[in-house]
Amino acid sequence: MANILSSGKIGKKHLSERGLVNLFIWPTLILLILVNIFPLFYSIFLSFNNYSVIGNKLPIWVGFQNFKDLLTNEQVWNYFAITGRYALLSVVLQTVLGFGLAMLIREKFKGSGIITTLILIPMMLSPVVVGLFWKLMFNPGYGIFNYLISWLGIPLTTDWLAKGDLALWAIVLVDVWMWTPFVMLLVLSGLSAIPEYLYEAAAIDRASSWFQFWHITLPQVAPLVLIAVLFRSIEAFKSFDLAMGLTGGGPGAATRLISIDIYTRAFLGQFKTGQASALAVIVLVVIIAISNLYITALNKAKES
Amino acid sequence: MNTPKSKRPEVNYATRVDKVTFKSKLTRNLKAILTVIIAFIVLIPVFWMAATSLKSRADAVAAPPKVIFEPSMEGFIGLLTQRRQVTAAQGLEEIKQDPNLKWYDRVMLNRGQQIVGKSEYVGYLKNSAITAGISTILSVLFGLFSAYAFSRFKVAGKGDLLFFILSTRMLPPIVVTIPIFLLYRQLGLYDTTFGLIILYTVFNLSFSVWLMQGFIDEIPREYEEAALVDGYSRLQAFFKIVLPQTITGLAATTVFCLIFAWNEYAFAVMLTAQKARTAPPSIPSVLGTGGIEWAQIAAGAMGFLIPVAIVTFALRNYLLRGVTFGAVRR
């Protein structure tokens, strides 16, 4: 097989194989380098400079000053803390709920295919539109959220988006609504791949359902859960759209995720381009750390 | 994990020797009912979005919320048109007599408004369609070619290259946007559809390469080899043998890219202002004139909900691949 593929004799009068590969791969690589890698290095360069797009001055090299300013700034740490709390809360909830949902849907019943697909709709929606729409639902006057909860006998008049802690929970709630189906989808695929004989053997040994869950189901699905968790963690640190639509970072700065902070620094007010770039680089380092975990987990999952 | 579906024997849990009991049948039914209830709860926001888009302005902000209401197209018409207020003194009744009025004119006249033209949102929708459409075609094309090369040839440093391609997707949009913003201003690409198309193409490219590679990997190499033996050139084999085989994968990739580009917000809000602005960033900002028009916002949201709902159903067998970059296949 490899002989035919790599001999290249047939293609002599046409393109050589090497030429074909280059022709097929390089446009993609060039585009990625131009639009991703070059700006990345430009960003790193800017992060060492004092520069503002609206000032008419050229960038001034300031070394690590931007990083020093940012990392000694309590507010920046606070925004990181907010982002971290949001990421942790939403990822944990999504994982637990997604797993539970998958266990529930695991056994097929009439119409279960349609139901599963319906549950998957939220994750395909545009986050900013979702955020905006939940803003209407959270409205204490005419929103449906408090209204539905009061049906359960708990009268609520809370303005979810007006109080700091609650606003963060509101974002977490919407994020969980959007992305629990994602975890569910991955776990379902893991569940369906578990060989049936494992359960049969356990049943013959009269193993309890708990034993089956802990020793068969969980270890078998673990790699996929890991993928889901890491995927969601990365996305949570990048998160921008949803919070922009729902709270815009408010009230005050209570839900100012780190991406929103960079956006504000770079594109609003004083246009602190250099400083914003430095913060972006810091976020990038965090995300690379998580991505590495992700890739490792992915490779492990692929092997098994 | 990568075994094709057909190879796994279908197991009906209920017929397992150890499980055929009345109790298990009961729990199964209970589970099914619970699932349906959960699905219903999950979809409440979606129903509510659809309902609000069909409400009149007053009904949309009624407290307590109106579950039963008289449907009205006000939201959709308001979203797509520009209007001016007309009072009775200015001859509202006379305008109403005009026999050339369309149904949507009448709806708005009953609210005391005369339609004078298309709204800016129509332009934004058009921008969205053009940007999403062209960028999708480009990323799928580039993705298809590189995925084929990665799948079929020995490429030096293949693993590293593929990782590099994936890693670009991990970049937070905000990291690349600042320099691109500066660059685009220099090149005159800021607030142009062309600039946005380039960005969206590249944004989807890594996804497209990874997903397409998965699909092409599944086509047996033997087909092409047979064709090569028959005297086809590599290119001919690619176009005549591989391409028809990969149509499903190509379609799935295209639709995913389309949805991502259609939904995209971060790049659009930072790199466009007016001329090239797309629909997602304009829904929050444009519609705020004269009090929040929730019916209009919901109508705008339907422009995102309906395509997504259709796509979710059409792609249900490929969703898993799509959302995990083809890493998990089944």
Side-chain angles (χ1 to χ4, degrees):
Chain A
M1 176 180 87
N3 291 336
I4 301 173
L5 279 180
S6 54
S7 68
K9 262 183 206 159
I10 310 156
K12 264 277 163 60
K13 60 175 186 267
H14 309 282
L15 265 164
S16 79
E17 203 152 274
R18 192 101 305 269
L20 195 73
V21 171
N22 286 335
L23 186 71
F24 276 12
I25 290 179
W26 276 102
T28 295
L29 293 181
I30 288 171
L31 271 175
L32 286 170
I33 289 167
L34 277 182
V35 184
N36 277 323
I37 302 309
F38 169 68
L40 175 64
F41 282 102
Y42 196 8
S43 220
I44 294 172
F45 165 75
L46 284 173
S47 69
F48 291 107
N49 284 274
N50 187 358
Y51 180 59
S52 169
V53 237
I54 48 169
N56 278 323
K57 289 180 219 142
L58 288 171
I60 304 163
W61 185 267
V62 291
F64 283 95
Q65 193 58 44
N66 285 330
F67 291 95
K68 217 187 266 170
D69 288 347
L70 287 167
L71 293 174
T72 52
N73 185 340
E74 259 178 48
Q75 281 185 323
V76 173
W77 284 99
N78 185 30
Y79 301 147
F80 266 110
I82 293 171
T83 313
R85 210 174 330 148
Y86 153 74
L88 189 71
L89 286 174
S90 49
V91 171
V92 167
L93 283 173
Q94 281 157 20
T95 312
V96 173
L97 292 175
F99 198 101
L101 211 52
M103 292 298 283
L104 193 67
I105 298 183
R106 182 184 196 185
E107 286 177 42
K108 302 260 178 299
F109 56 88
K110 222 179 189 179
S112 66
I114 291 173
I115 299 283
T116 316
T117 312
L118 281 173
I119 293 178
L120 292 174
I121 287 179
M123 79 174 177
M124 302 288 287
L125 288 166
S126 170
V128 67
V129 175
V130 165
L132 198 66
F133 200 79
W134 274 81
K135 196 172 168 177
L136 167 70
M137 306 219 313
F138 277 130
N139 185 291
Y142 44 81
I144 198 179
F145 190 77
N146 285 350
Y147 181 68
L148 284 181
I149 288 186
S150 66
W151 271 11
L152 302 173
I154 315 160
L156 269 185
T157 50
T158 323
D159 188 351
W160 288 80
L161 302 177
K163 294 197 195 93
D165 281 349
L166 285 182
L168 190 67
W169 274 103
I171 298 183
V172 169
L173 182 80
V174 180
D175 199 73
V176 168
W177 177 74
M178 265 190 97
W179 292 106
T180 297
F182 171 81
V183 181
M184 179 195 85
L185 186 64
L186 260 78
V187 174
L188 268 179
S189 95
L191 287 175
S192 67
I194 302 177
E196 186 59 20
Y197 63 79
L198 290 179
Y199 289 108
E200 274 154 17
I204 290 165
D205 290 345
R206 298 198 173 276
S208 69
S209 336
W210 262 118
F211 183 91
Q212 292 189 16
F213 178 79
W214 277 109
H215 293 270
I216 300 171
T217 313
L218 211 53
Q220 291 276 331
V221 180
L224 280 162
V225 175
L226 203 60
I227 289 181
V229 166
L230 289 164
F231 224 110
R232 287 311 311 149
S233 312
I234 294 170
E235 290 294 318
F237 269 93
K238 284 161 64 175
S239 183
F240 176 70
D241 308 21
L242 181 66
M244 282 297 280
L246 192 60
T247 64
T255 58
R256 193 161 176 169
L257 302 177
I258 204 73
S259 297
I260 297 181
D261 190 48
I262 300 175
Y263 169 69
T264 321
R265 276 171 209 273
F267 292 98
L268 303 172
Q270 293 173 290
F271 285 77
K272 291 182 176 168
T273 315
Q275 211 186 50
S277 304
L279 192 52
V281 169
I282 297 174
V283 173
L284 185 65
V285 171
V286 174
I287 290 182
I288 287 176
I290 308 174
S291 302
N292 268 327
L293 289 174
Y294 167 71
I295 298 291
T296 320
L298 200 68
N299 285 338
K300 259 191 195 158
K302 270 194 163 173
E303 276 165 25
S304 64
Chain B
M1 204 161 66
N2 291 331
T3 35
K5 207 167 188 174
S6 55
K7 278 190 189 163
R8 279 180 314 113
E10 282 296 326
V11 179
N12 185 351
Y13 287 78
T15 58
R16 265 165 39 182
V17 189
D18 57 314
K19 286 256 170 150
V20 189
T21 59
F22 172 71
K23 205 181 142 201
S24 85
K25 226 177 182 176
L26 190 73
T27 45
R28 210 170 66 129
N29 285 337
L30 278 177
K31 275 183 178 177
I33 291 167
L34 195 58
T35 312
V36 172
I37 292 173
I38 288 174
F40 183 76
I41 293 172
V42 165
L43 289 177
I44 286 177
V46 174
F47 295 143
W48 195 245
M49 210 186 278
T52 308
S53 73
L54 292 173
K55 283 182 179 179
S56 67
R57 187 186 171 167
D59 281 350
V61 293
K66 275 195 177 174
V67 181
I68 295 158
F69 57 91
E70 199 183 327
S72 152
M73 291 302 280
E74 260 181 50
F76 287 93
I77 300 168
L79 181 71
L80 301 174
T81 60
Q82 255 182 347
R83 303 157 312 276
R84 68 184 180 97
Q85 292 287 342
V86 187
T87 57
Q90 287 166 320
L92 179 64
E93 290 309 313
E94 272 172 43
I95 299 171
K96 275 189 184 173
Q97 301 306 321
D98 186 348
N100 294 325
L101 287 178
K102 298 275 189 322
W103 63 271
Y104 43 84
D105 287 316
R106 290 183 199 285
V107 171
M108 293 323 271
L109 280 172
N110 287 334
R111 203 174 126 176
Q113 293 183 343
Q114 186 184 18
I115 295 171
V116 292
K118 277 185 242 165
S119 70
E120 286 173 328
Y121 191 74
V122 177
Y124 299 148
L125 271 180
K126 213 183 279 169
N127 284 341
S128 260
I130 294 170
T131 313
I134 297 180
S135 70
T136 296
I137 295 172
L138 291 176
S139 26
V140 171
L141 270 183
F142 286 127
L144 169 70
F145 288 127
S146 358
Y148 178 69
F150 278 122
S151 170
R152 291 300 197 253
F153 299 103
K154 273 190 194 143
V155 179
K158 177 170 156 182
D160 292 333
L161 279 178
L162 278 171
F163 174 69
F164 160 73
I165 290 173
L166 178 67
S167 69
T168 59
R169 181 70 174 229
M170 298 297 170
L171 286 178
I174 196 102
V175 174
V176 280
T177 330
I178 297 169
I180 284 182
F181 172 70
L182 300 180
L183 214 64
Y184 272 21
R185 276 198 347 166
Q186 288 290 320
L187 299 171
L189 287 175
Y190 176 75
D191 200 17
T192 61
T193 304
F194 179 67
L196 214 52
I197 288 175
I198 298 180
L199 211 59
Y200 282 13
T201 303
V202 179
F203 170 73
N204 270 332
L205 195 50
S206 53
F207 172 78
S208 157
V209 172
W210 271 67
L211 202 61
M212 280 314 299
Q213 204 208 336
F215 282 113
I216 295 176
D217 277 345
E218 281 167 12
I219 304 169
R221 281 162 177 252
E222 284 74 14
Y223 294 162
E224 286 154 86
E225 280 153 25
L228 289 179
V229 171
D230 285 349
Y232 278 49
S233 78
R234 256 288 163 193
L235 266 180
Q236 282 171 327
F238 172 69
F239 282 111
K240 293 195 178 148
I241 312 291
V242 180
L243 210 52
Q245 294 272 335
T246 189
I247 281 298
T248 328
L250 212 56
T253 312
T254 305
V255 177
F256 273 116
C257 288
L258 258 180
I259 284 290
F260 290 150
W262 184 251
N263 283 348
E264 210 285 331
Y265 168 76
F267 289 132
V269 79
M270 291 183 251
L271 296 171
T272 63
Q274 174 72 34
K275 236 172 60 230
R277 182 138 274 199
T278 54
S282 54
I283 290 188
S285 60
V286 173
L287 308 175
T289 45
I292 299 177
E293 295 268 9
W294 280 111
Q296 288 188 24
I297 292 181
M302 291 307 281
F304 292 86
L305 174 68
I306 294 171
V308 160
I310 296 171
V311 163
T312 310
F313 269 90
L315 289 182
R316 61 185 180 280
N317 294 328
Y318 300 101
L319 276 180
L320 186 66
R321 270 176 184 228
V323 294
T324 58
F325 281 66
V328 185
R329 298 259 166 88
R330 202 174 30 71

